[in-house]
């Protein structure tokens, strides 16, 4: 795969991962009611996310309510919120920086080495975006798992993984993969080629000797 095609594939993968991370952050299905074991199946299913909690009735009606207070939220929710916001900001800047540094764009064509470095910087931003998304989703999933197996949690108050967690894991994988492909634009080979070309040229002093 050529350098330009590799950059384009990495950019598209990272862009898809960022969009998926945005969707995961907005979805309220980070955890959902569990009906495992002796739990009583009710007509109302509960879903909770980073920003709101929803109740879905058997008739198909869904009622959602935003979390009342930021300071009253659990620590893992606040931390996951902060990580997802940082992740989305890093991904947004990565989108802009990568467009400037990609070989298929016209910006900065007169300096290909600097252009490649900009593409690498965009790839690093995408990798950091994916790592923040992975940390946020994994932290939330760890807390859900702990509460599920905790003996102090009532059976009917247990939650399982929601669909947003799996979307977040997929988003993290895509952004890290895309950022890694963009980082392959490192201009080290180009610098080595220029050094080899300069060394292979005869000096003017040797010609006069």
């Amino acid at each position: 795969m050529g350098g330009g095609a590799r950059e384009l594939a990495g950019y598209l993968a990272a862009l898809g991962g960022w969009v998926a991370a945005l969707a995961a952050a907005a979805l309220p299905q980070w955890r959902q009611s569990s009906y495992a074991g002796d739990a009583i199946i009710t007509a109302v299913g509960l879903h909770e996310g980073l920003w709101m909690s929803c109740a879905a009735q058997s008739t198909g009606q869904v009622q959602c309510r935003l979390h009342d207070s930021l300071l009253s939220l659990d620590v893992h929710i606040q931390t996951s919120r902060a990580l997802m916001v940082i992740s989305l900001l890093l991904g947004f800047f990565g989108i802009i920086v990568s467009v400037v540094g990609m070989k298929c764009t016209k910006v900065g064509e007169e300096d290909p080495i600097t252009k490649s470095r900009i593409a690498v910087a965009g790839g690093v931003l995408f990798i950091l975006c994916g790592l923040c998304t992975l940390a946020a989703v994994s932290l939330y999933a760890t807390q859900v798992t702990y509460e599920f197996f905790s003996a102090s949690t009532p059976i009917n108050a247990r939650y399982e993984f929601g669909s947003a967690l799996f979307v977040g894991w997929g988003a993290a994988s895509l952004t890290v993969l895309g950022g890694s492909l963009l980082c392959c634009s490192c201009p080290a080979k180009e610098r080595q080629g220029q050094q080899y070309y300069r060394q292979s040229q005869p000096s003017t002093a040797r010609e006069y000797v």
Side-chain angles (χ1 to χ4, degrees):
M1 183 183 293
R6 182 172 57 247
E7 285 183 354
L8 183 59
Y11 180 78
L12 292 177
L15 179 61
W18 183 81
V19 173
L22 179 62
L27 287 174
Q29 287 88 7
W30 280 61
R31 66 175 186 173
Q32 60 188 10
S33 300
S34 174
Y35 301 108
D38 298 331
I40 301 175
I41 299 177
T42 61
V44 179
L46 301 179
H47 305 273
E48 291 189 8
L50 297 179
W51 314 99
M52 66 181 67
S53 58
C54 298
Q57 300 181 2
S58 58
T59 58
Q61 184 179 4
V62 179
Q63 296 179 348
C64 296
R65 185 185 67 177
L66 295 174
H67 295 312
D68 297 330
S69 174
L70 173 64
L71 299 179
S72 64
L73 293 175
D74 295 334
V75 176
H76 71 282
I77 298 180
Q78 297 183 19
T79 306
S80 298
R81 271 187 176 186
L83 287 172
M84 289 303 296
V85 171
I86 294 173
S87 171
L88 294 175
L89 289 176
L90 289 172
F92 177 76
F93 290 118
I95 292 172
I96 299 176
V97 172
S98 298
V99 169
V100 177
M102 291 174 62
K103 296 179 181 179
C104 58
T105 59
K106 299 293 184 180
V107 182
E109 286 184 330
E110 62 278 359
D111 192 353
I113 295 181
T114 302
K115 191 175 177 68
S116 298
R117 290 174 178 172
I118 294 175
V120 172
V124 172
L125 289 174
F126 277 127
I127 292 176
L128 293 177
C129 168
L131 292 178
C132 287
T133 303
L134 179 63
V137 175
S138 299
L139 175 64
Y140 197 96
T142 302
Q143 184 65 27
V144 172
T145 304
Y146 172 78
E147 293 179 356
F148 183 87
F149 291 104
S150 177
S152 60
T153 303
I155 296 178
N156 291 332
R158 292 178 178 177
Y159 288 87
E160 293 183 353
F161 294 166
S163 57
L165 294 182
F166 299 100
V167 174
W169 279 317
S173 301
L174 283 177
T175 49
V176 170
L177 175 61
S180 301
L181 291 176
L182 286 172
C183 286
C184 293
S185 303
C186 183
K189 294 183 179 179
E190 297 180 8
R191 290 201 302 264
Q192 292 177 0
Q194 289 184 355
Q195 292 177 359
Y196 177 78
Y197 176 79
R198 291 174 182 174
Q199 292 176 359
S200 63
Q201 296 298 318
S203 62
T204 55
R206 290 179 181 177
E207 292 180 357
Y208 288 106
V209 173

